[in-house]
Amino acid sequence: MSQPFAPRPLVIAPSILAADFARLGEEVRAVDQAGADWMHLDVMDGHFVPNISYGPDVIKAMRPYTKKIFDAHLMIAPCDPYLEAFAKAGCDHITVHAEAGPHLHRSLQSIRALGKKAGVSLNPATPLSAIEYVLDMVDLVLVMSVNPGFGGQAFIPAMINKVTDLRAMLAGRPIDIEVDGGVVPDVAAKLAAAGANALVAGSAVFKGGTEASYKANIDAIRNAAAMARGEMV
Ligand code: DX5
Ligand code: ZN
């Protein structure tokens, strides 16, 4: 496989949406111990997406249970009035959707002004051209590989080509390519080969319900992706 640009580090980011919400702190600690790199935090408002999850107070309550990166994925519109609350709650990355409002550049500026890494997410139907002129403002691009709102959906295969095209568009910039939705080990391998370096997985990590199963699940995703990257496992 040709590697025209140096690959960014491989990251596995369990989506806490699939955790047992009655034991959030313990679940965060368990996936940390099981080898998670980032904690992916899905915030849904019942307006931008047809589901409601949790907000900054719940994230703040989870914060003491791990030192790992809090990778917030805001599926909310508007997002601007809430960015500061998510920063104060302990999020390290704040990702907003390109479709969530008319002033994406301003939202990304605000996230960086809060001292956080700025991410932009694209729904499956949104073309890469939506972010062409904000790349200088972005630390991470999150490619949605399901329609956002729910865990446990099937991966949309056309998103492999989107990742390939995104990687070419980024042309070696220091920007993470993260993919979210329906990621299981064989999909992880295809995504890694296409150039994604950060893989979100909810149901595929939390199945089994114990720290030992979380470790086996994370290892399976990481090993599949690492092999596709030509790395030792
Ligand atoms: C969907 C969320 C995802 C979701 C992934 O709107 O953004 O992070 O939790 O769950 P799985 O891995 O089960 O598709
Ligand atoms: Zn997500």
Side-chain angles (χ1 to χ4, degrees), residues 15 17-18 40 42 44 73 75 144 146-153 180-183 200-204:
S15 166
L17 192 66
H40 184 79
D42 289 303
M44 304 178 181
H73 174 196
M75 289 163 272
M144 286 311 300
V146 297
N147 290 298
F150 304 95
Q153 302 181 78
D180 184 6
V183 174
V200 177
S203 11

Side-chain angles (χ1 to χ4, degrees), residues 1 155 157 160 163-164 184-196 199 224-225 228:
M1 181 186 49
F155 179 81
I160 301 276
V163 169
T164 304
V184 293
D186 69 311
V187 169
K190 291 179 189 152
L191 289 170
L199 304 172

Side-chain angles (χ1 to χ4, degrees), residues 154-210:
F155 179 81
I156 299 171
M159 297 303 105
I160 301 276
N161 284 343
K162 198 175 191 179
V163 169
T164 304
D165 293 347
L166 174 60
R167 185 162 194 263
M169 181 179 172
L170 297 182
R173 288 173 186 254
I175 296 175
D176 288 306
I177 300 179
E178 186 174 24
V179 182
D180 184 6
V183 174
V184 293
D186 69 311
V187 169
K190 291 179 189 152
L191 289 170
N197 70 289
L199 304 172
V200 177
S203 11
V205 165
F206 282 94
K207 70 179 183 196
T210 63

Side-chain angles (χ1 to χ4, degrees), residues 213-227:
S213 48
Y214 302 164
K215 181 171 183 346
N217 297 338
I218 290 171
D219 285 351
I221 296 167
R222 190 188 303 282
N223 291 345
M227 276 179 61

